[in-house]
Amino acid sequence: VRIREGGGTMTGLPGPETLANIVTRVTETMFGMSFALAELPMDQRCSRPVWRTVVLPIPGPRPLSVAIASDEASGHTLGSAMFACAIEVVDRVMVEDSLCELVNIVAGQVKSVMGVDDALGLPRVLTTADASIDPASWRGATMRSSCCEVLVWVAVSELGE
């Protein structure tokens, strides 16, 4: 799945700085690492081997979706931190579990920031067969960890799944 980022004119959606703050609050607690906005051109993001993406819908009168993505190496680092194990033993399932847990908590924080009271849907791991995320439909931020080479992308969209 190729991840692309768009600014859009979506009113009321958290901006990149707010999304970065939400992710850092969550990851400092879960993984012991903080993130800052990263200026990473799209061609560099797309040239990284594989981005694993998880999308969580928030159905309701104003359907929303929250997405979290990481490249393969970053996903393994997050999995290692979450499961408190050596990076060599982290498998695809552990990476996906880590991203699903992260998107679940981030989506809850996004709901709080936006004043939304709708229930969270279930996270879904996108596969390479899934369509690319349309940049015009998402407000996102790419972040880099301050402690190690970990990149994550987080975004919110007014499109329900």
Side-chain angles (χ1 to χ4, degrees):
V1 175
R2 291 199 161 211
I3 304 301
R4 293 170 289 173
E5 199 168 336
T9 58
M10 297 157 272
T11 58
L13 295 180
E17 295 82 11
T18 301
L19 291 169
N21 288 334
I22 288 171
V23 169
T24 290
R25 280 195 310 264
V26 172
T27 57
E28 281 179 338
T29 302
M30 284 179 67
F31 303 120
M33 61 180 74
S34 59
F35 286 86
L37 288 173
E39 292 298 323
L40 188 65
M42 192 61 220
D43 60 336
Q44 280 188 307
R45 283 199 302 269
C46 290
S47 69
R48 288 187 171 246
V50 174
W51 281 80
R52 180 134 358 253
T53 306
V54 177
V55 177
L56 186 146
I58 306 172
R62 181 183 180 190
L64 301 168
S65 290
V66 177
I68 295 278
S70 72
D71 65 2
E72 189 171 5
S74 299
H76 278 79
T77 301
L78 291 171
S80 173
M82 182 173 168
F83 288 99
C85 65
I87 200 164
E88 297 80 27
V89 301
V90 175
D91 61 15
R92 179 188 55 80
V93 172
M94 294 166 82
V95 170
E96 291 174 359
D97 283 350
S98 299
L99 292 173
C100 285
E101 185 64 25
L102 186 55
V103 77
N104 202 4
I105 296 170
V106 168
Q109 295 295 312
V110 166
K111 277 181 36 173
S112 178
V113 165
M114 293 182 65
V116 173
D117 194 30
D118 300 313
L120 297 177
L122 296 174
R124 182 172 68 95
V125 178
L126 300 183
T127 66
T128 53
D130 291 318
S132 295
I133 292 177
D134 177 17
S137 303
W138 293 84
R139 178 168 295 157
T142 302
M143 293 157 286
R144 183 183 308 273
S145 174
S146 58
C147 69
C148 47
E149 185 60 25
V150 174
L151 288 173
V152 297
W153 178 80
V154 63
V156 62
S157 172
E158 291 182 308
L159 302 175
E161 247 195 351

